[in-house]
Each structure stands twice: as C-alpha cells, then as structure tokens.
Amino acid sequence: MTQGHPPAPGWTGGPPPAPGQPWPAYPPPPPRSRRKLWIGLAAGALALAVGAGALVGVGLGLRDDEEGAAPKAAAAANGVTVTDAELTALLDRHGRALAARDLDGWLAAFDPARRDLVAAQTRLFRNLGKLPLSVARYETVERQGRATDAFGQGVTFQLDVSFVHQLDGFDLAPVTEWYRWTVVRPAKDAPIRVTAVTGAPAAADGSSKTVYYPGPWDRWPEIHVERTPHTLVIADSDRAALAKRYAPAAEAAAVHDLAVWRSGGLPGPAPRGVVIALAEGRDEMGSLYRIGTRKATEAGFSMPMVAAERRDGRFTIGGSRVVVDTETPYFARTGGANDAGMVFRHEVAHSLVTPRTNLTEVDAFDTLDEWVVEGFAEYVAFHSRPLGDSERTAAARRLLRSWNGKLPDDGDWDNPDLVSFHYWLGHTAMNHLAETYGEPKLFRFVDAVYAGTPTDRAARDVLGVSLDEFQAGWADDVRAQARWTGSETTQ
C-alpha cells in the first residue's frame, strides 16, 4: 500500500503550481503511489520465509543434509566443519550479550582482526542500547554455502540472520530485520568468526534489495532518541536538535490520531505509539528499513513490519516504522496547518490501521484500493477540519473541470501529475462516507477492506449500497461542494 505522503500541490516558498501539476518547480518530480514500494518489501520477506519452509524466528534449517554422509565422516576425521548446534549457540550468546549490555560478549562473534567491522558493530551495540527493546534475539534464517570441508582447507559461508526485536510500547509483536553474516572457520577446532555483516537480500522482484535493513541504528554511527509518551523519534546524533524540535509535533500528531482512532470503536489491539525516523533528504529516506530499487519521492512513509512469528498460523503485522524527509517544504515552513504536523498525522494514521490487515486475504496489500488507504489517512490527518484546510483543495477543484466523476482505480495512481488530486479524491470520499453514513460505518468499512473484503462487497455489507451508488452520491457531493457550474469552479 502507499502508506506514504506525497508532496502537496504547492508551498509558499515558490510560484503557485499550474493546473494539473501537484508540485511546483521543486525537484524531484511528484511521487507515484507508494503501495507497490512497500508491497515489494513485504512480499519479498514473505516469499523468502515461505519459500524456505517456515517463518523467520522459527529457524529454517542449514541444509547439512545436502552434504552427504561421506563428506561428514571425512570431515569428522581430519576436515573442518561448522555444525548447526554451534551456529545456534553463537546466535544465542550474541543475543544474551545484547540483553546484558555486555559489549565484550557481543563482539566475541566478530573477527578481531577486522577492525572496521569491530568498530561498526561497537557502534551498533551502543545504538541498540538506546532503544526500549523488550525482545532482542538472533535466529537463523538460512545458510548459503557449505559448512564442511573434508580436506582441512577451512570453510567460509554466508549465514542469513534474523534480528527479532520488539520496541516496548510501540510494537504489537516482535518484528525482524535480516542480516547476512560471512562466517569463517579457518581450520579444524579454530573458533568461528564473523568477518563481514550486511543486509540479507530480499526477493529479486521486490522494491527493496534487503529485508527491513538498514535500520537507523545500522545506518547512523550514533543515533539520538527523543521519546515522548506516544512516539519514539530517532535521528542521526548530528541532528539531535532537530529531533528535539519536531518531537512535540510528532507527539501531538500521535495524540490526535489515537483519539480519532479510539472514537471509531473498532475492537482489538492498536499500537500505543509510533516509531519515527527523521531522514535528511530523499536518498537517505530511501535507504532506511530498505535499500530501494528506485528513488524515493514521497515526503514520508509508514513501513508495515511483518511479525517475526505467525499468530494462529497466519502472518500478521507486528508494528510499523515511519520515516519522514525533513528536507521537504513541509518541514521548511513554520506555523501553517499543513506543515510537519500534517505529515506526521497522515503517516501515524497509516500506522494505526495497518495492523488490521489480513495478509492472507489481501495478498501482501496488493488488493487494497488506494483511494481507501490514502483517503483514510487524509481523513484522519484533517479530522474535524474543513476540506479547505488541505492545500490540495485549490488545485483539485481546478481539475474537476475534466474529472470523470469516478473513484481513481489503482492504475490511475501511477500518473505523477494526478497523484495529489487522487489523494484529495480519496479524502473527499471518506468525508462523504462519514457525513452520509456516520463515522462508525467509515471505520467499519475501512476495517473490512483491510481485512480482505473487496471494496464493492464492503460497501454493500457496511453501507448498504453498491459501490456504484456510493460513487454517484459522492461525485454529486464533490461537485456541489466545489460549486460546479459547468463552466467554472469557484473556491
């Protein structure tokens, strides 16, 4: 799903946008929908896990059976081998050292001769110590390469490792980040050493080359963590002042959205808080919790995190990670209703509804209608405010002259010139739904869609009308609000 926030149609730092252009002369170009970006990452993680035979966190096997009985027997006599039990013990010790704040124990896994590696892992250890980790352990995903050499030449292979972790007060369940360790045993009875660490690769056809890697704790040499009652704001330590500056806005956004969410009355757990990273520029934003296969263009996104363990045999969402680009105009302006707080509110709204997703039914979010996903986030972000407060409104009303009166389908979101207009249409659709059928039904409708009910059936089940009937009433409402005359649109 998109789970993101595109640039607004205009901002005070430049000339007004031309009709049909959701962004003035401000590079890079306006974004596509983000739905496929996140789908690629989630689907990649799920495909890797399922293809290997089990979900990460359970242990996927090390393929020792492929090596055969004869090489094992020879290796036992004079060869070199690394057993499953040794790798499990290595990961167990690593996790226990982190929990005990034992730096020496943590570094024991790494080759002391690799000074750059030891320095990097020391920084990572200290960064992780700043997080409220209620769960932190390391488990095997899969091994790549042979762990046995019958001729005493030593072995080198890659071990994909799951960092299973839960941020206390923020994640509903433990989530995961995948690393790839290069493991070496140079000779028989020599200690096992890790000589390199990077992100484990994701599925080849995904939108990220890695699985939830790198976290801010991996990317930045030193993180600064600013905690409020409902947010965990993470920034590079060089930008600690910025984290302090925006933490109150992030907290206000979380409080606002949580109040709106609770008023919806949906049963079941919801996150009590949100984790937010402050990126400096689009390149950095595109390389947090992912290594993107295309350039990031959004102003922010909410990354759903697949839980590390199945619940009742099903994949679920264990939490989310919000990232915002503080170089966008939203963060350059001050004092307006459409500034940083609006981006935070939009992304927090995504984070609150995402755990409702039935990953089995919606095929890793690929069947969720974009207008529902983004319209709901805009609705929550501007809750109790007039539509005119959205700076998308002026440009959107101009576009109504050529509008076909229909909800944008998912293919429409690939048109960069109309992305902001489609966000606005989703917003107005949610406004119309709440005003016509009542806000409780809005929440029930959105919940049904996230649970995997096709949108047209959700309309019949929850609203009591067909989707076509809903669309017709909404289109009339939009045109009436815009004072449509057939020749001009007033504002």
Side-chain angles (χ1 to χ4, degrees):
M1 68 179 58
T2 42
Q3 303 292 332
H5 200 93
W11 73 293
T12 57
Q21 271 194 316
W23 192 242
Y26 182 84
R32 314 170 18 149
S33 156
R34 275 202 69 262
R35 182 172 62 94
K36 293 182 178 63
L37 185 150
W38 132 239
I39 289 168
L41 181 59
L46 292 175
L48 277 174
V50 174
L55 185 60
V56 69
V58 178
L60 304 186
L62 302 179
R63 300 184 178 178
D64 279 344
D65 57 328
E66 296 177 5
E67 296 171 357
K72 287 182 180 179
N78 54 16
V80 179
T81 190
V82 176
T83 68
D84 297 7
E86 287 179 301
L87 291 173
T88 298
L90 176 71
L91 296 178
D92 286 347
R93 288 194 301 271
H94 199 59
R96 289 198 303 270
L98 177 60
R101 306 293 179 92
D102 175 7
L103 177 59
D104 290 339
W106 164 273
L107 294 176
F110 306 105
D111 185 350
R114 309 283 178 135
R115 294 184 179 180
D116 288 347
L117 174 63
V118 171
Q121 292 300 310
T122 299
R123 292 191 294 267
L124 175 57
F125 177 86
R126 290 172 177 158
N127 280 342
L128 293 177
K130 297 179 181 181
L131 301 175
L133 292 167
S134 58
V135 174
R137 65 179 185 269
Y138 294 83
E139 298 180 350
T140 295
V141 179
E142 192 172 21
R143 194 192 70 225
Q144 305 289 334
R146 293 173 61 85
T148 296
D149 183 274
F151 303 99
Q153 298 297 314
V155 293
T156 300
F157 57 90
Q158 276 69 52
L159 183 70
D160 290 349
V161 173
S162 169
F163 173 41
V164 179
H165 59 285
Q166 184 170 7
L167 297 178
D168 188 32
F170 300 95
D171 293 330
L172 295 172
V175 298
T176 186
E177 176 186 7
W178 289 13
Y179 293 96
R180 173 161 285 187
W181 287 6
T182 299
V183 179
V184 174
R185 171 164 273 167
K188 185 178 181 181
D189 299 328
I192 301 169
R193 296 297 191 195
V194 177
T195 60
V197 176
T198 186
D205 59 349
S207 295
S208 174
K209 299 177 183 178
T210 54
V211 181
Y212 301 130
Y213 171 93
W217 40 86
D218 303 294
R219 180 174 174 86
W220 294 325
E222 182 181 358
I223 62 171
H224 175 82
V225 177
E226 199 71 26
R227 184 162 187 173
T228 72
H230 301 93
T231 70
L232 195 72
V233 179
I234 306 174
D236 189 326
S237 62
D238 290 342
R239 308 179 81 219
L242 201 70
K244 293 179 185 294
R245 173 184 171 188
Y246 286 119
E251 171 66 14
V255 169
H256 169 273
D257 285 12
L258 283 165
V260 176
W261 179 263
R262 289 165 183 152
S263 72
L266 292 177
R272 291 176 291 160
V274 182
V275 181
I276 301 172
L278 305 182
E280 186 176 15
R282 296 275 169 68
D283 288 344
E284 186 168 83
M285 186 175 68
S287 58
L288 283 172
Y289 305 111
R290 59 182 176 174
I291 296 179
T293 57
R294 65 171 180 262
K295 186 176 179 63
T297 56
E298 60 276 292
F301 67 84
S302 172
M303 178 73 75
M305 307 288 286
V306 177
E309 299 171 348
R310 288 187 178 100
R311 181 187 305 164
D312 299 327
R314 296 188 299 111
F315 295 106
T316 62
I317 298 300
S320 67
R321 302 289 182 261
V322 170
V323 182
V324 297
D325 174 11
T326 59
E327 296 294 291
T328 61
Y330 289 112
F331 292 84
R333 304 176 299 193
T334 57
N338 297 298
D339 291 337
M342 185 269 296
V343 179
F344 287 135
R345 292 193 300 273
H346 181 103
E347 303 308 337
V348 170
H350 281 310
S351 296
L352 292 177
V353 72
T354 294
R356 316 290 298 191
T357 309
N358 184 333
L359 288 174
T360 302
E361 294 297 327
V362 303
D363 189 21
F365 293 96
D366 202 20
T367 58
L368 289 179
D369 280 331
E370 199 83 50
W371 69 267
V372 177
V373 173
E374 294 304 339
F376 180 75
E378 289 285 274
Y379 175 83
V380 173
F382 287 97
H383 192 267
S384 300
R385 299 184 184 193
L387 185 63
D389 276 4
S390 171
E391 59 189 351
R392 304 185 195 283
T393 297
R397 283 174 170 165
R398 291 194 292 270
L399 290 173
L400 289 176
R401 295 186 181 97
S402 57
W403 177 49
N404 62 8
K406 295 185 180 299
L407 293 161
D409 64 33
D410 287 347
D412 293 335
W413 291 77
D414 289 335
N415 184 340
D417 293 335
L418 296 176
V419 168
S420 189
F421 181 52
H422 293 154
Y423 272 70
W424 185 83
L425 290 176
H427 184 180
T428 59
M430 290 295 156
N431 282 356
H432 174 75
L433 197 163
E435 291 164 4
T436 305
Y437 304 96
E439 189 170 75
K441 286 193 175 182
L442 181 151
F443 277 87
R444 286 171 50 199
F445 172 79
V446 171
D447 186 49
V449 172
Y450 271 78
T453 304
T455 308
D456 55 350
R457 198 175 84 209
R460 289 189 179 278
D461 291 350
V462 178
L463 308 181
V465 297
S466 69
L467 188 61
D468 286 344
E469 289 174 300
F470 170 81
Q471 181 175 251
W474 158 72
D476 290 343
D477 186 29
V478 169
R479 286 174 168 140
Q481 287 189 53
R483 301 192 184 105
W484 177 259
T485 66
S487 60
E488 64 178 355
T489 302
T490 60
Q491 297 174 21

